[in-house]
């Protein structure tokens, strides 16, 4: 069977590796995760909203893109939509003339970060929601506004939460995206090009298969959606730096160790990581979170700053020799697979020059980071299982760190209120 191949846009998205999720909205002002669509628009009033601070924090984290909740399940719109009065236009913020989506889009352009938008299908405010035909038209108008007025979008995030048993007009939604934002990644629903990893802890697990015939639906049901045919859908691991997706007083950011543990189990396994940084009631990402993000990206820079790039030689069927310029002390190896012909590696083993297995694992994908007790070596042999598989790079690092940290499970996301 010929493996399914990614589009250039999917490959580019996979190379981006890290995005920042921005959950911000009416919930922020009420300590809520899921409000019911009745909170007054007048209560949306960030005193000091600075979208540049959000985007610069994302950029400093090493993120190549952000995804903003333009509308969460409560229906409150962060842009002055013509479809409903439940939006920033009815709030005191910027005297009702503000547009959070536009401010984030401008900051993204200024700082070279790509923009993605989340538009919740489930809408607890829209009076027409119980009428599928009317709501589909309403939702398409909202999506058209977002896809027309804010420049190029890199990702559209469709969240299944709250929509169990409800069908939306996915073929019209897909046609609209094809018309207005053909390069955008489509998250998990409709005509997806990327998929949810299946948990909200930011964790992938080996093997990370890019070709799947079903997607998981949401965190609130075990239900999964069968696809009409198998598709190349690389996963995105979403997780909040805090317990909540939205900002809450008293909540706090996860530890540096926890963030690193997530990184190795998402990016390190060949998935993308979408790390949520919720702005607070001032409209700023809190100082503690910014400091934690700086510590996280600083530690990643430290670990990966001095790569030793191996030259690669195919030395047998599925066997590659990675050779360094000299004997080198290494405790990390980062492998990348040639994905242009589809994902082909199903399993692999790394052996040292004496034929001893250093690591054995499943998929490689966009990148696979191995961590092991340090060895000093000039060459490794990498045996790949799969249909005519190939590597594009093997890079070694001497980080001083020989184990992947454990997850602190007490700090995972709370159930919504
Ligand atoms: C979930 C939602 O219900 C949460 O509120 C959050 O937006 C998360 C990213 O997806 O399913």
């Amino acid at each position: 069977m010929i493996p399914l191949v990614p589009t250039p846009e999917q490959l580019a998205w996979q190379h981006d590796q890290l995005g920042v999720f921005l959950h911000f909205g009416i919930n922020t002002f009420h300590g809520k995760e899921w409000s019911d669509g009745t909170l007054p628009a007048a209560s949306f009033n960030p005193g000091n909203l600075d979208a540049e601070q959000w985007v610069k924090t994302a950029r400093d984290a090493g993120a190549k893109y952000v995804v903003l909740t333009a509308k969460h399940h409560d229906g409150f719109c962060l842009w002055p939509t013509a479809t409903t009065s439940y939006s920033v236009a009815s709030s005191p913020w910027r005297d009702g003339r503000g547009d959070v989506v536009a401010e984030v889009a401008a900051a993204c352009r200024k700082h070279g970060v790509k923009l993605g938008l989340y538009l919740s299908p489930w809408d607890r405010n829209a009076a027409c929601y119980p009428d599928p035909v009317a709501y589909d038209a309403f939702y398409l108008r909202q999506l058209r506004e977002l896809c027309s007025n804010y420049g190029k979008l890199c990702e559209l995030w469709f969240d299944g939460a709250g929509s169990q048993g409800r069908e939306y007009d996915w073929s019209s939604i897909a046609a609209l995206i094809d018309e207005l934002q053909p390069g955008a990644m489509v998250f998990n629903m409709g005509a997806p090009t990327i998929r949810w990893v299946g948990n909200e802890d930011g964790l992938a697990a080996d093997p990370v298969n890019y070709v799947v015939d079903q997607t998981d639906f949401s965190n609130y049901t075990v239900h999964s959606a069968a696809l009409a045919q198998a598709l190349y859908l690389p996963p995105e691991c979403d997780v909040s730096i805090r317990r909540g997706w939205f900002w809450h007083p008293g909540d706090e950011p996860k530890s540096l160790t926890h963030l690193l543990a997530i990184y190795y189990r998402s990016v390190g396994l060949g998935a993308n990581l979408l790390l949520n940084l919720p702005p607070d009631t001032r409209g700023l990402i809190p100082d503690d979170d910014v400091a934690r993000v700086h510590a996280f990206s600083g530690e990643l820079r430290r670990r990966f700053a001095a790569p030793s790039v191996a030259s690669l030689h195919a030395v047998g069927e599925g066997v590659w020799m990675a050779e360094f310029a000299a004997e080198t002390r290494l405790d990390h190896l980062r492998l990348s697979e040639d994905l242009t012909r589809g994902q082909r590696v199903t399993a692999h083993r790394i052996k040292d020059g004496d034929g001893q297995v250093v690591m054995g694992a499943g998929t490689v994908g966009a990148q696979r980071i191995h961590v092991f007790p340090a060895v000093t070596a000039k060459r490794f042999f990498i045996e790949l299982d799969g249909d005519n598989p190939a590597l594009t790079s093997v890079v070694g690092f001497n980080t001083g760190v020989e184990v992947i940290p454990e997850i602190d499970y007490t700090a995972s996301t709370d159930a919504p209120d």
Side-chain angles (χ1 to χ4, degrees), residues 247-372:
W247 179 84
H248 300 261
D251 200 355
E252 43 182 34
K254 292 180 171 52
S255 67
L256 171 60
T257 304
H258 193 154
L259 295 179
L260 290 167
I262 289 170
Y263 179 85
Y264 282 103
R265 289 169 178 81
S266 53
V267 175
L269 291 176
N272 276 35
L273 172 60
L274 186 63
L275 177 64
N276 183 60
L277 304 178
D280 61 17
T281 48
R282 299 170 303 166
L284 294 171
I285 297 172
D287 294 350
D288 284 357
D289 303 46
V290 173
R292 194 58 47 83
V293 161
H294 286 163
F296 172 60
S297 57
E299 180 57 17
L300 290 178
R301 264 198 307 280
R302 189 195 69 72
R303 291 186 187 190
F304 297 108
S308 301
V309 180
S311 58
L312 278 180
H313 313 273
V315 292
E317 202 158 313
V319 185
W320 295 69
M321 182 173 72
E323 192 168 33
F324 296 95
E327 292 267 322
T328 313
R329 182 198 186 277
L330 300 170
D331 49 37
H332 281 48
L333 278 181
R334 189 177 65 210
L335 277 47
S336 297
E337 179 178 354
D338 175 12
L339 294 172
T340 54
R341 298 173 304 119
Q343 185 183 34
R344 288 168 180 255
V345 178
T346 53
H348 64 288
R349 290 159 300 284
I350 301 175
K351 294 181 174 172
D352 64 16
D354 300 327
Q356 298 299 312
V357 176
V358 180
M359 294 296 304
T363 46
V364 172
Q367 65 281 319
R368 175 74 195 230
I369 301 173
H370 287 294
V371 181
F372 45 85

Side-chain angles (χ1 to χ4, degrees), residues 67 71-72 101 129 215 219 241 260 266 333 393 402 407 411:
V67 177
K71 179 187 84 169
H72 204 252
V101 180
Y129 189 77
T215 53
N219 220 24
I241 195 168
L260 290 167
S266 53
L333 278 181
S393 69
E402 303 185 340
I407 299 282

Side-chain angles (χ1 to χ4, degrees), residues 99-135:
D99 183 339
V100 182
V101 180
E103 293 194 18
V104 173
C108 282
R109 274 194 299 280
K110 182 164 170 189
H111 297 288
V113 174
K114 298 174 201 172
L115 174 66
L117 295 174
Y118 167 118
L119 183 68
S120 173
W122 184 32
D123 188 320
R124 304 177 81 182
N125 176 268
C128 63
Y129 189 77
D131 175 348
V133 174
Y135 181 72

Side-chain angles (χ1 to χ4, degrees), residues 21 23 27 33-34 69 72-73 118 122 157 159-162 196 200 217-220 238-239 245-246 276 416:
F21 223 164
H23 274 69
N27 288 332
E33 285 289 303
W34 284 8
T69 53
H72 204 252
H73 309 322
Y118 167 118
W122 184 32
W157 224 88
D159 187 341
W196 183 48
E200 296 189 342
F217 193 75
S218 90
N219 220 24
Y220 311 100
D238 59 327
V239 64
W245 289 101
F246 287 88
N276 183 60

